[in-house]
Amino acid sequence: MASEEWREDETPEDRDFRVLMEYAHGFMVSQVVFSACDLGVFDVIAASGTADVGAIARATGSSPCHTRLLLEACVELGMLRVGPDGTFANTRLASSLLVAGSPRCQRHMMLYLAGTPYRCWGQLGRAVREGRSQYGRAVGVDTEEPFAAIYRSEPERLLFMRALQETWSVCGGHVLTAFDLSPFRVVCDVGGGSGALACELARLYPGSDVTVFDTPEVIAAAQAPPFQSPGIEPVVHFLGGDFFRSRLPAADLYILARVLHDWTDEACAGLLGRISMAGGAGTALLLVEALMPPEGDPAGPVRLPALLLSLNMAVQTRGRERTEAEYQALTAGAGFSHFRVVRTRGPYATMLAWK
Ligand SMILES: C[S@@+](CC[C@H](N)C(=O)[O-])C[C@H]1O[C@@H](n2cnc3c(N)ncnc32)[C@H](O)[C@@H]1O
């Protein structure tokens, strides 16, 4: 995003031009990050602490001349630093978030963003004009069903699951400690994917009994490596089904993390109604979503990120990001008359609704 600061001697017209070019070139910054991850640049450097251009080019099977350009761009973006001897080292950002195997690693998220979302964003204008997702043109799967396109092959399903799992290594603790969840013993994470958030909940609340509910294909993958280690009993249960049709397990607390934003209001109301029925009188609901600022809110720091996430939903799903008031209305419609929200550190808010 363009720097808001005025530069010395910059005229308003010069600033306009600079800002416009920074916006227009934003996709190049994304591609530097994605390509460096895909080539394994940060992993090669991590293996030896520092490495020169020749060694990195050899290890990644790349052109030395173009590798130098990529590495220098990574330096400018704060992902690498260059030493007095001309060798490159990972910065804290890269060591923590981009080196494979680091506990907070987001590498699969970068690889996923480089594929399906990047290609869908290439069709943004058409998505806006037609008011629907663009999977046919973007990834060659002619469907408006988000998960038919995202899960178009076994490797793509696995990549999506690994990408989403990585978020919770950074944000899981924030969203699960926003409220004290210890009163809820039986918990069901509906659309829980690989189970990363559910496992974090089981770790934070040792008395809980947690089930991950997702499609049968996702559940089968979630019970195998790399999500589970052979011979080690998972700390959560897994159940496969269709949350719009199958019977949902009874629970004291249902979690819906990054699920409602995929769907229309009508589909959300249907899903919330089914959860309300399955849980009975005393049940509660924990929603984890990026919140849109309230209608008419003056432009603030979170407004653009929320709008971009909502446009991402437009190019990829049938849903959108919503305001706190919209989530409150949706949950109230399903019989959850109480509602509280906590904005956590990071991009997500946690909302607790109860009857
Ligand atoms: C955006 S992902 C969120 C995953 C997880 N809650 C997280 O935040 O990492 C949405 C999840 O809903 C699941 N899902 C979509 N449609 C479903 C359906 N009809 N029945 C069960 N799960 C479904 C997907 O497989 C996916 O895991």
Side-chain angles (χ1 to χ4, degrees):
M1 244 154 275
S3 155
E4 293 300 314
E5 280 169 28
W6 286 85
R7 294 183 183 169
E8 216 178 311
D9 296 335
E10 196 172 40
T11 66
E13 292 75 16
D14 287 345
R15 182 181 185 276
D16 290 345
F17 181 72
R18 172 174 62 80
V19 168
L20 177 65
M21 289 302 124
E22 285 182 29
Y23 292 161
H25 294 161
F27 74 96
M28 299 182 189
V29 173
S30 303
Q31 283 297 354
V32 167
V33 182
F34 299 158
S35 303
C37 282
D38 189 35
L39 288 165
V41 164
F42 307 107
D43 303 325
V44 168
I45 295 173
S48 50
T50 61
D52 63 19
V53 175
I56 297 166
R58 271 194 305 282
T60 60
S62 308
S63 139
C65 166
H66 288 66
T67 299
R68 176 177 293 285
L69 290 175
L70 184 68
L71 296 175
E72 288 180 358
C74 289
V75 170
E76 292 306 309
L77 293 171
M79 296 184 290
L80 296 179
R81 57 172 183 274
V82 61
D85 59 354
T87 61
F88 292 87
N90 289 323
T91 60
R92 186 187 62 212
L93 182 157
S95 300
S96 160
L97 299 173
L98 297 173
V99 171
S102 88
R104 288 160 55 90
C105 183
Q106 303 295 306
R107 182 170 176 275
H108 290 98
M109 181 55 92
M110 299 302 111
L111 299 179
Y112 166 66
L113 289 172
T116 304
Y118 190 80
R119 285 192 256 165
C120 289
W121 274 83
Q123 303 298 327
L124 176 62
R126 204 179 281 268
V128 169
R129 202 176 301 127
E130 296 176 5
R132 61 187 182 90
S133 62
Q134 295 292 320
Y135 283 115
R137 285 193 175 78
V139 299
V141 182
D142 198 6
T143 176
E144 283 188 56
E145 286 301 326
F147 294 96
I150 293 170
Y151 295 161
R152 60 193 176 278
S153 70
E154 203 51 48
E156 289 293 338
R157 183 184 351 261
L158 195 62
L159 178 60
F160 180 76
M161 290 174 68
R162 295 189 83 172
L164 268 72
Q165 176 188 41
E166 287 175 346
T167 306
W168 302 126
S169 66
V170 175
C171 303
H174 304 326
V175 303
L176 293 174
T177 54
F179 295 98
D180 175 15
L181 303 180
S182 56
F184 304 106
R185 203 186 74 74
V186 182
V187 181
C188 179
D189 189 356
V190 181
S194 68
L197 190 64
C199 290
E200 183 68 9
L201 190 142
R203 194 184 65 75
L204 287 166
Y205 300 95
S208 60
D209 178 343
V210 190
T211 297
V212 179
F213 185 95
D214 209 294
T215 65
E217 297 79 10
V218 165
I219 289 300
Q223 290 177 283
F227 305 108
Q228 303 296 329
S229 308
I232 298 181
E233 192 64 23
V235 295
V236 297
H237 314 287
F238 291 95
L239 185 61
D242 177 343
F243 56 43
F244 290 124
R245 287 180 192 83
S246 311
R247 191 190 158 125
L248 296 168
D252 305 323
L253 176 72
Y254 293 88
I255 300 177
L256 285 168
R258 300 189 287 191
V259 169
L260 295 182
H261 73 169
D262 292 333
W263 305 103
T264 60
D265 287 353
E266 196 186 14
C268 290
L271 177 54
L272 291 169
R274 305 190 81 249
I275 288 174
S276 179
M277 295 271 287
T283 201
L285 193 59
L286 193 80
L287 306 182
V288 180
E289 297 283 359
L291 281 185
M292 287 288 281
E295 289 284 321
D297 202 31
V302 297
R303 191 157 169 80
L304 182 60
L307 283 169
L308 294 178
L309 281 175
S310 208
L311 280 173
N312 189 52
M313 292 300 118
V315 296
Q316 284 207 256
T317 71
R318 295 180 168 187
R320 62 195 171 88
E321 306 297 351
R322 295 179 171 87
T323 62
E324 176 187 332
E326 287 176 312
Y327 282 115
Q328 185 164 9
L330 275 172
T331 53
F336 296 90
S337 48
H338 301 88
F339 184 92
R340 276 182 59 208
V341 61
V342 173
R343 284 173 180 75
T344 69
R345 277 159 60 197
Y348 299 108
T350 304
M351 293 160 270
L352 186 68
W354 67 100
K355 293 183 175 176

